Amino acid sequence: MDRRRLTARALAELADVTVVSLSQIKTGKQVPQETTVQRIAGALDYPVAFFHGADVDTLPAAAVSFRSLSSVTQRERKAAIAAGGIAYLVADWLHSKYTLPSPKLIDAGAERDPATAARALRQAWGLGEKPISNLIKLLEAKGIRVFSLAENTKNVDAFSCWRNDEPYIFLNTFKTTERSRFDAAHELGHLILHKHGGSNQGPQAESEANSFASSFLMPRADVLSEMPRVQSLQQILRGKKRWGVSAAALTYRLHKIGLITDWQYRNFNIQLRTDYGSSEPDSMQRETSTLWKMVLDDLWDQKLTRADIATGLNIPHGELENLLFGLTAASDRPPLRNDRPALSVV
């Protein structure tokens, strides 16, 4: 119901049951007849078998960070969290089939400065000051489970959470690549800054995660080395390609570390709005999951398709595609032979 953004009354009408009966079924006070289950499944466009399976492990609302919490409606929030519950099913299936990279995150703690935490994580991951070419690939290699959200709304940027000491990040593919990369780094900040002893929600937590993301994607030393003097917007548009960030994010970073004045900062932002509106100039190619590309290619070698995964999990095929960056849409054809992955199978 939450995943489909339906109220109890709307679902009751679609399934031809009373609101009271639906409430009692949800709370376990009433065992529905099979015909009722079929009507509810049909109304939600989910396989009947899904409702006969074990309870789905849900994301604790208090542990989930939404970047734009103030603008997210209750239905949008619930729908996104419900998608996370489906992602848990997919992740558990993945664990049962393959040995995945273990998480390699530092615990920055509430006392750590976000910029210091970003430098410490870069050092722990052996990144130095160099730009990150593919952030999703890096996160997956470091044991973070990254899923996509096909939420057709700008209100849900991204969110993250911990589950059994395993970090998860969910990204809205409705955004530009540059915005999605910043969202991913922002959520990475939440995971290491706010795992213990503090809320990952609220203005302070959001400000800390933003500061972490900016420092992580655009290291101060590298920015100072590459752009010691900034005199035109064209320099910023060239520079954004190096760090894979939006022109607005780089402009903010340049202002924050003192490379452009207040006047330049205002002027560059006016130029960006005037010349490009809300679009991103010269946007980069979208990043996607490397891990799931490897898995889907390996499954093809076993003569298994996306339909087999979805059917085995009793979820709609569309839900699987939404979570895997749309990769399943192309998974039912043979992979290139020179790109065969080496996977560790359980």
Side-chain angles (χ1 to χ4, degrees), residues 296-297 299-300 304-307 309 326-335:
L296 293 171
D297 283 356
L299 291 175
W300 177 266
L304 296 173
T305 67
R306 59 171 177 166
I309 304 175
L327 286 173
T328 60
S331 67
D332 293 344
R333 58 175 180 264

Side-chain angles (χ1 to χ4, degrees), residues 56 74 147 186 193 217 228 242 254 267 273 305 324:
V56 176
Q74 190 73 356
F147 289 92
H186 176 103
L193 290 170
L217 291 175
R242 175 178 176 81
L254 293 169
N267 189 52
R273 288 194 298 269
T305 67
L324 306 188

Side-chain angles (χ1 to χ4, degrees), residues 265-315:
Y265 179 62
R266 289 193 296 270
N267 189 52
F268 287 147
N269 278 317
I270 291 172
Q271 282 185 266
L272 283 171
R273 288 194 298 269
T274 301
D275 294 346
Y276 302 101
S278 59
S279 62
E280 180 62 37
D282 198 13
S283 186
M284 62 191 295
Q285 184 177 357
R286 182 166 297 280
E287 294 182 355
T288 189
S289 169
T290 300
L291 175 66
W292 275 106
K293 173 67 165 58
M294 295 170 65
V295 168
L296 293 171
D297 283 356
D298 185 68
L299 291 175
W300 177 266
D301 286 343
Q302 301 175 45
K303 302 188 185 306
L304 296 173
T305 67
R306 59 171 177 166
D308 295 310
I309 304 175
T311 300
L313 294 173
N314 298 319
I315 60 175

Side-chain angles (χ1 to χ4, degrees), residues 187-203:
E187 297 307 325
L188 178 61
H190 277 308
L191 290 172
I192 71 168
L193 290 170
H194 307 127
K195 181 181 180 182
H196 304 293
S199 173
N200 61 356
Q201 299 177 2

Side-chain angles (χ1 to χ4, degrees), residues 53-235:
D55 290 341
V56 176
D57 193 3
T58 57
L59 282 71
V64 175
S65 73
F66 279 90
R67 184 175 172 193
S68 296
L69 185 61
S70 61
S71 60
V72 178
T73 68
Q74 190 73 356
R75 288 190 189 179
E76 288 171 338
R77 179 180 172 86
K78 287 184 176 180
I81 290 178
I86 303 301
Y88 281 171
L89 290 177
V90 178
D92 289 343
W93 174 89
L94 187 61
H95 271 296
S96 72
K97 301 293 183 182
Y98 300 96
T99 300
L100 304 178
S102 57
K104 297 180 178 63
L105 273 68
I106 63 173
D107 186 358
E111 76 284 1
R112 296 291 293 272
D113 171 70
T116 303
R119 289 194 298 271
L121 184 61
R122 275 182 157 269
Q123 182 178 10
W125 285 359
L127 300 177
E129 301 291 331
K130 64 182 181 181
I132 299 170
S133 59
N134 189 317
L135 184 55
I136 292 179
K137 180 179 180 179
L138 174 66
L139 296 177
E140 290 180 330
K142 300 305 180 181
I144 301 172
R145 315 305 173 216
V146 185
F147 289 92
S148 61
L149 296 168
E151 307 301 300
N152 191 25
T153 173
K154 292 184 178 181
N155 291 336
V156 179
D157 285 306
F159 62 93
S160 57
C161 63
W162 285 89
R163 179 201 184 207
N164 300 328
D165 289 324
E166 191 171 49
Y168 285 76
I169 290 179
F170 299 87
L171 300 174
N172 190 348
T173 56
F174 195 62
K175 307 291 182 177
T176 65
T177 304
E178 290 83 356
R179 180 64 180 272
S180 185
R181 278 169 57 92
F182 195 91
D183 287 345
H186 176 103
E187 297 307 325
L188 178 61
H190 277 308
L191 290 172
I192 71 168
L193 290 170
H194 307 127
K195 181 181 180 182
H196 304 293
S199 173
N200 61 356
Q201 299 177 2
Q204 181 177 346
E206 290 301 292
S207 177
E208 291 171 352
N210 275 336
S211 179
F212 173 92
S214 187
S215 298
F216 187 73
L217 291 175
M218 297 168 281
R220 179 186 179 91
D222 194 40
V223 175
L224 289 171
S225 174
E226 293 293 321
M227 303 184 69
R229 297 183 185 84
V230 183
Q231 298 176 329
S232 71
L233 181 61
Q234 288 306 312
Q235 287 178 269

